[in-house]
């Protein structure tokens, strides 16, 4: 058995044997078109091999070689690549590959550079997770993805992540064959992308403190870095709600009409009314710059939780947001609520919630038994208001499918990785860290709970699925290490479900996962060594 995640089922070759992977390695491009891929793989391997990795341009006999080659292979696996190509091609990219481990090293074969890179990440995991002896059994792997869009959303709007930290997240995503980094760049708490046409967005905030943000140069550089790892950056400008920072920077934007009596009952940041000419012009200027700066084909318009707008006003604003993005040559993506403004066949709606998934109590007695909700300030009135506000979510997926749109699966129940860890998953030495992380309104869940998620269990036809995306919102944590502790180890099982199209088999999966703690430690990434996993070596002690 190898420890590769996502699962890559190995077949033994005709002649058995082992390759010793604990010595020096060299990475070679067998085709000039793969030289940049080889350079990128050397960079990904560097934390694991250190001075055991030979520099580019050197060839040594007797040293195992990771060889990348192009080959006119037949389709490498029975899985069908489905969904929307996040890089913008007319058809999803060909990421199929074959890999062989022999006495000479590891050979990666694919029809495309992207497929060769995916094979290279499998090879990198084989090397990094080899047992202490460093022996890799001879084997052959034929592999291809189930879903074309395999994403991770991070939330620098609430907790800023530096460009270098985002690069480390891109590397992690690429190692697990994710191919989208969704950046939640704006929210009530922050605006994180420089737009020269509206400089006040990234000037000193209302509290007098300088804002953290990505300059134009930062953003372009991040996209270039991601593209070399076959990861597409999707920026999110979350409107018409979640707009306090925008209102501070651009005073006078018209408020959306609110439902009668709402202002007297609950506080909220008024969503925008994009039917207003001045508000429409300001938002158009902003989205024009975002679209111009973005090299990928998609721009996320948000369109979630527009609390304080009438349904009619919300739908009108979402239609305008979509039209603006399309006018500047990009394809709009929105949270599932955007479907209520109408859906066209090319539209993508990101499914994240329905009322049953929210797991809210029905009675005051049930609420009293949910301490995490009391900590979040929930009252019977607030719970009732939430159920009423989110009631239309129960029809969103059906609405998208019937209109011919695509669903991006991000269910809060399993793929919101800002959910607290269940106490039984947390080793005693990390109880303090785990206890302060995660959104308090969510019921804590185990590592196995996340790994049980099966994308094929949804009543959505294959042709209607754009792909899978995990999210980690940042309401309750600060800093890069908190992000990685929430992501790891749970992100690995999401990546497997997205690539393979099914949940991993837990007993077998936890044995593979146990060998990845060492990989994360070598990359300097903090993680939660959950008690459900038999971590190899001294990982739990090292991470305490």
């Amino acid at each position: 058995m190898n420890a590769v995640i996502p699962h890559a089922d190995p077949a033994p070759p005709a002649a058995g044997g082992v390759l010793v992977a604990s010595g020096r390695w060299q990475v070679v491009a067998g085709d000039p078109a793969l030289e940049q891929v080889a350079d990128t793989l050397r960079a990904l391997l560097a934390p694991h091999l250190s001075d055991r990795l030979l520099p580019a341009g050197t060839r040594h006999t007797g040293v195992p070689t990771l060889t990348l080659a192009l080959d006119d292979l037949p389709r490498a696996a029975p899985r069908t690549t489905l969904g929307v190509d996040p890089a913008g091609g007319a058809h999803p990219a060909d990421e199929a590959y074959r890999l062989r481990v022999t006495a000479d090293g590891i050979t990666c074969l694919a029809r495309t550079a992207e497929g060769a890179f995916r094979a290279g990440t499998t090879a990198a995991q084989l090397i990094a997770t080899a047992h202490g002896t460093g022996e890799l059994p001879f084997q052959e792997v034929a592999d291809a993805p189930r879903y074309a869009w395999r994403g991770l959303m991070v939330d620098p709007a609430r907790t800023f992540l530096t460009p270098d930290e985002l690069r480390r997240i891109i590397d992690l995503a690429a190692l697990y064959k994710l191919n989208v980094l969704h950046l939640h760049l704006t929210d009530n708490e922050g605006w994180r992308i420089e737009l020269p046409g509206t400089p006040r967005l990234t000037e000193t905030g209302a509290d007098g403190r300088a804002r953290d943000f990505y300059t134009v140069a930062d953003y372009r550089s991040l996209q270039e870095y991601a593209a070399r790892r076959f990861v597409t950056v999707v920026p999110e400008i979350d409107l018409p709600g979640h707009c306090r920072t925008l209102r501070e920077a651009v005073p006078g934007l018209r408020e959306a009409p609110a439902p009668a009596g709402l202002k007297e009952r609950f506080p909220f940041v008024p969503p925008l009314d994009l039917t207003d000419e001045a508000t429409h012009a300001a938002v158009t200027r902003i989205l024009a710059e975002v679209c111009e700066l973005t090299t990928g084909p998609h721009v996320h318009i948000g369109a979630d939780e527009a609390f304080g707008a009438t349904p009619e006003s919300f739908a009108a604003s979402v239609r305008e947001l979509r039209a603006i993005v399309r006018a500047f040559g990009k394809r709009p993506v929105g949270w599932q609520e955007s479907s209520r403004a109408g859906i066209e066949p090319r539209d993508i709606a990101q499914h994240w919630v329905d009322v049953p998934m929210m797991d809210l109590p029905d009675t005051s007695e049930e609420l009293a038994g949910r301490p995490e909700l009391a900590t979040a300030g929930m009252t019977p009135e607030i719970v009732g208001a939430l159920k009423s506000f989110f009631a239309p979510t129960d029809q969103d997926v059906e609405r998208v499918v019937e209109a011919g749109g695509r669903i991006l699966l991000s269910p809060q129940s399993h793929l919101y990785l800002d959910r607290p860890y269940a106490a039984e998953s947390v080793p005693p030495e990390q109880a303090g860290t785990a206890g302060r992380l995660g959104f308090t309104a969510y019921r804590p869940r185990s590592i196995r709970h996340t790994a049980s998620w099966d994308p094929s269990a949804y009543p959505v036809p294959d042709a209607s699925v754009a792909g899978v995306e995990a999210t980690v919102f940042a309401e309750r944590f600060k800093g890069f290490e908190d992000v990685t502790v929430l992501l790891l180890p749970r992100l690995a099982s999401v990546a497997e479900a997205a690539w393979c199209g099914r949940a991993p088999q837990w007993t077998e999966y936890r044995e593979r996962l146990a060998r990845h703690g060492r990989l994360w430690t070598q990359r300097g990434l903090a993680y939660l060594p959950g008690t459900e996993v038999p971590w190899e070596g001294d990982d739990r002690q090292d991470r305490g």
Side-chain angles (χ1 to χ4, degrees), residues 388-466:
S388 176
F389 178 73
F390 282 100
T393 60
D394 293 351
Q395 288 78 48
D396 286 338
V397 170
E398 182 180 358
R399 185 182 299 111
V400 174
V401 172
E402 288 181 350
R406 297 294 184 90
I407 296 289
L408 181 58
L409 293 170
S410 296
Q412 177 196 91
S413 59
H414 292 79
L415 269 58
Y416 270 45
L417 302 185
D418 52 318
R419 180 179 292 275
Y421 287 99
E424 62 268 23
S425 297
V426 179
E429 64 271 17
Q430 286 205 326
T433 297
R436 66 177 176 79
L437 297 180
F439 188 48
T440 53
Y442 295 157
R443 190 192 296 268
R445 295 292 190 186
S446 66
I447 296 166
R448 184 174 184 173
H449 171 81
T450 303
S452 71
W453 182 71
D454 188 348
S456 66
Y458 288 77
V460 180
D462 281 345
S464 299
V465 179

Side-chain angles (χ1 to χ4, degrees), residues 87-105:
H91 302 285
D94 185 348
E95 302 176 75
Y97 69 86
R98 288 188 184 273
L99 178 147
R100 300 189 189 103
V101 179
T102 65
D104 297 323

Side-chain angles (χ1 to χ4, degrees), residues 12-324:
V18 295
L19 168 68
V20 178
S22 56
R24 294 186 298 170
W25 277 87
Q26 54 195 353
V27 180
V28 173
D31 187 293
L34 297 178
E35 289 290 354
Q36 186 177 86
V37 175
D39 288 341
T40 302
L41 280 171
R42 286 189 197 95
L44 285 175
L45 277 165
H48 310 291
L49 294 177
S50 187
D51 57 3
R52 293 163 49 209
L53 180 62
L54 298 180
T58 61
R59 294 291 298 270
H60 290 249
T61 58
V63 173
T65 303
L66 197 171
T67 303
L68 304 172
L70 295 176
D71 199 297
D72 188 19
L73 298 174
R75 175 61 63 181
R79 294 190 293 276
T80 303
T81 303
L82 299 171
V84 175
D85 180 6
H91 302 285
D94 185 348
E95 302 176 75
Y97 69 86
R98 288 188 184 273
L99 178 147
R100 300 189 189 103
V101 179
T102 65
D104 297 323
I106 303 176
T107 301
C108 301
L109 300 171
R111 289 182 295 273
T112 66
E114 190 161 355
F117 179 75
R118 303 297 177 219
T121 62
T122 297
Q125 285 196 28
L126 285 171
I127 294 168
T129 62
H131 280 299
T133 60
E135 292 183 347
L136 294 176
F138 292 173
Q139 59 190 280
E140 296 181 0
V141 171
D143 204 10
R146 174 66 172 174
Y147 296 114
W149 184 305
R150 306 179 303 278
L152 169 63
M153 191 221 78
V154 295
D155 181 12
R158 293 184 176 92
T159 293
F160 186 71
L161 299 168
T162 69
D164 282 344
E165 290 166 345
L166 284 183
R167 290 184 183 94
R168 295 176 71 186
I169 288 174
I170 290 168
D171 285 345
L172 177 68
L175 276 169
Y176 289 94
K177 297 182 175 63
L178 300 177
N179 62 351
V180 173
L181 179 67
H182 170 177
L183 295 177
H184 186 75
L185 291 169
T186 73
D187 213 297
N188 292 327
E189 294 83 354
W191 188 284
R192 305 302 186 184
I193 184 168
E194 177 189 26
L195 300 178
T198 313
R200 291 187 61 187
L201 288 167
T202 46
E203 290 176 354
T204 303
D207 57 3
R209 298 171 58 189
R211 298 189 192 277
D212 292 316
F213 61 91
Y214 307 114
T215 67
V216 168
D218 288 336
Y219 184 59
R220 286 176 171 155
S221 176
L222 281 169
Q223 292 178 95
E224 292 168 2
Y225 187 90
R228 289 194 293 274
R229 288 145 181 83
F230 297 94
V231 173
T232 300
V233 174
V234 175
E236 180 183 353
I237 307 299
D238 196 357
L239 298 172
H242 293 269
C243 59
R244 177 186 288 120
T245 307
L246 176 56
R247 289 192 173 282
E248 290 175 357
V250 185
L253 299 176
R254 181 180 290 180
E255 297 181 8
L262 190 67
K263 289 185 177 181
E264 293 74 30
R265 295 177 62 202
F266 302 105
F268 59 88
V269 177
L272 303 182
D273 178 5
L274 268 82
T275 64
D276 171 63
E277 184 176 348
T279 302
H280 190 282
V283 172
T284 299
R285 183 172 64 250
I286 287 166
L287 289 176
E289 288 198 78
V290 173
C291 291
E292 190 276 328
L293 291 172
T294 299
T295 56
H298 296 99
V299 169
H300 203 299
I301 59 171
D304 64 314
E305 298 180 321
F307 191 74
T310 63
E312 297 77 16
S313 172
F314 171 73
S317 289
V318 171
R319 285 192 290 269
E320 293 301 326
L321 289 168
R322 283 209 197 104
I324 293 166

Side-chain angles (χ1 to χ4, degrees), residues 438-512:
F439 188 48
T440 53
Y442 295 157
R443 190 192 296 268
R445 295 292 190 186
S446 66
I447 296 166
R448 184 174 184 173
H449 171 81
T450 303
S452 71
W453 182 71
D454 188 348
S456 66
Y458 288 77
V460 180
D462 281 345
S464 299
V465 179
V468 170
E469 187 171 289
T471 75
V472 58
F473 284 97
E475 283 95 343
R476 281 203 69 230
F477 61 84
K478 301 294 180 184
F480 179 70
E481 185 166 309
D482 287 354
V483 175
T484 65
V485 168
L486 285 169
L487 289 177
L488 301 172
R490 296 181 292 191
L491 182 65
S493 66
V494 179
E496 177 148 327
W499 180 269
C500 299
R502 61 182 183 272
Q505 199 283 322
W506 173 251
T507 302
E508 179 273 336
Y509 170 73
R510 68 194 285 269
E511 297 295 331
R512 282 186 286 131

